[in-house]
Amino acid sequence: MQRIFSTTVLDGGTIDLTSGWNVKQPEANATDLEPSMTRASRAVASPRVVSIADLRPLARRRLPKAVFDYLDGGADGEVTLRENCRVYEDVTFRPRHAVALPQCDLRTRVLGFDLALPFLLAPVGYSRLMHPGGEVAAARAAGKAGTAYILSTLSGHRLEDVKAGSSGPVFYQLYLMGGRAASEAVIERAKAAGFSALVVTIDTAVSGMRERDFRNGMKELISGNIFAKIPFLPQVLECPSWLWAFLLDGGIRPLANVVVPGQGPMPLVDITAALASAAVTWADLRWIRELWRGPIVVKGVLTGDDARRAVDEGAAAISVSNHGGRQLDSVPASLRALPEVVAAVKGQTEILLDGGIRRGTDIAKAICLGARAVLCGRAYAYGLAAAGRAGVDRVLALLRQDIERTLRLLGAATLEEVDSTLVRVPADWRR
Ligand SMILES: Cc1cc2nc3c(=O)[nH]c(=O)nc-3n(C[C@H](O)[C@H](O)[C@H](O)COP(=O)(O)O)c2cc1C
């Protein structure tokens, strides 16, 4: 009976068709970590790919609809998601022309780390569903480009492998999933593995209502039994190259870093419920600080009040963020919330920003308005989904060229010169 319902894949692993598509095999190697000249990597290297917007359709073509929409979508009516990108149009530049700039220096310091670029890679959950290289591939690309990578709690790769894969600083994003004992265990592992900072996300009291995920059967596809999956399977079968890579990588994997003591890694079932009991409070943050004792970034700040509270609770940095429009819809775009936060913090902690970053001009505008650096989410996830490591390399190269060109056109030789004198903002933003 067992033989009828299982099939052997290339390297000797076995797909257990009775349980959905978990694949029983040893810890799979993250494939395609080094860019090789596959069709996908040739597509992202094409001279026609000149912006992040050109990578999005490549990601869409390779991924099943459910996975693409998980990456691309936002909460409710996606008002904040759209506004996060649109808002950059409200800010215009006031460049300094006729300035000779033999060199342009893109280096900055975040939490005491020298970065070659003013952007980091944001935590993006389930990256391994987008491409088998997943979190390891993204961290490796970030390290090679001289910047930092932030690993999501919702990772398919072990945090030790992600850290070992990168030559740059790696931060760990913490949800209190699996309870305090599991969180204590992962904090100890992150410390031992050499993670440089903890990023504590505070905007996830429950998971946002991502309507596209419900329509596409995302929950059924990743956690249901085979019968629950059947109605949603056609979209997956339409993407054979993604499906093949996914099965070879071991299929649906548990959350490698959420290990409840005595129970092993948490399976991907009922993530919404797990997140609902993982909300972080200021009291939790104090407890986390005691355990971690290194720098903490509070991610998900949108008001001056929360920013002040984060400073008082000892945050080394905050990220002005609305989770890429994936949590509470109709909150302001991150860039719009930045001036209030900058005014409240009064230089007492570093300020990062994430949300809607797709171009070098977006990065420059955020820095002009007071961010030390920005985090990119979907921008690099599109590249990862399109072509794994090669796709992330391409995104990082595009954004680097973009920000360097922007600085030259602004007449700024260094990031210190990128300040509020270089932008014009709507009058009510300054209040
Ligand atoms: C597919 C996806 C998964 C995400 N997963 C996480 C996560 O696990 N933890 C977290 O703090 N933020 C997560 N985020 C939010 C990002 O860290 C970041 O705040 C957001 O992507 C920034 O907006 P952008 O995508 O427009 O750049 C996720 C974002 C996306 C697109």
Side-chain angles (χ1 to χ4, degrees), residues 67-73 81 84-85 121-127 130 150-155 173-175 199-204 210 275 299-300 319-326 334 353-358 375-382:
V67 183
F68 178 77
D69 277 349
Y70 166 73
L71 188 181
D72 192 61
L81 171 65
N84 263 356
C85 294
L121 300 194
V124 165
Y126 299 155
S127 289
M130 297 165 200
I150 307 174
L151 175 66
S152 164
T153 291
L154 305 177
S155 167
Q173 179 270 322
L174 184 73
Y175 287 135
V199 176
V200 180
T201 303
I202 61 165
D203 58 13
T204 316
R210 320 224 176 113
L275 270 180
K299 175 172 180 283
S319 190
V320 179
S321 169
N322 51 41
H323 216 109
R326 300 164 71 83
S334 314
L353 169 139
D354 67 75
I357 299 285
R358 303 289 182 271
L375 317 182
C376 300
R378 291 179 185 82
Y380 86 85
Y382 292 136

Side-chain angles (χ1 to χ4, degrees), residues 120-276:
L120 297 75
L121 300 194
V124 165
Y126 299 155
S127 289
R128 197 168 179 169
L129 274 186
M130 297 165 200
H131 193 279
E135 297 84 0
V136 178
R140 190 165 287 180
K144 189 176 142 240
T147 191
Y149 174 74
I150 307 174
L151 175 66
S152 164
T153 291
L154 305 177
S155 167
H157 283 288
R158 296 174 67 246
L159 65 87
E160 291 81 1
D161 298 337
V162 176
K163 176 69 184 86
S166 180
S167 53
V170 184
F171 306 165
Y172 188 80
Q173 179 270 322
L174 184 73
Y175 287 135
L176 295 181
M177 282 176 69
R180 282 202 170 194
S183 301
E184 241 174 88
V186 79
I187 289 172
E188 288 309 321
R189 274 175 68 190
K191 253 193 230 171
F195 277 67
S196 306
L198 268 193
V199 176
V200 180
T201 303
I202 61 165
D203 58 13
T204 316
V206 291
S207 178
M209 174 55 180
R210 320 224 176 113
E211 295 181 4
R212 298 197 215 179
D213 291 355
F214 282 85
R215 293 192 191 104
N216 293 331
M218 187 67 175
K219 184 169 140 218
E220 289 77 2
L221 284 169
I222 64 172
S223 63
N225 65 32
I226 187 73
F227 298 106
K229 293 185 204 303
I230 286 171
F232 303 104
L233 281 180
Q235 55 180 320
V236 177
L237 300 175
E238 279 167 16
C239 301
S241 66
W242 175 88
L243 180 59
W244 187 239
F246 166 76
L247 292 175
L248 286 181
D249 187 43
I252 294 290
R253 292 183 157 273
L255 295 170
N257 306 313
V258 183
V259 182
V260 182
Q263 289 180 31
M266 181 184 271
L268 272 195
V269 291
D270 214 3
I271 283 296
T272 308
L275 270 180

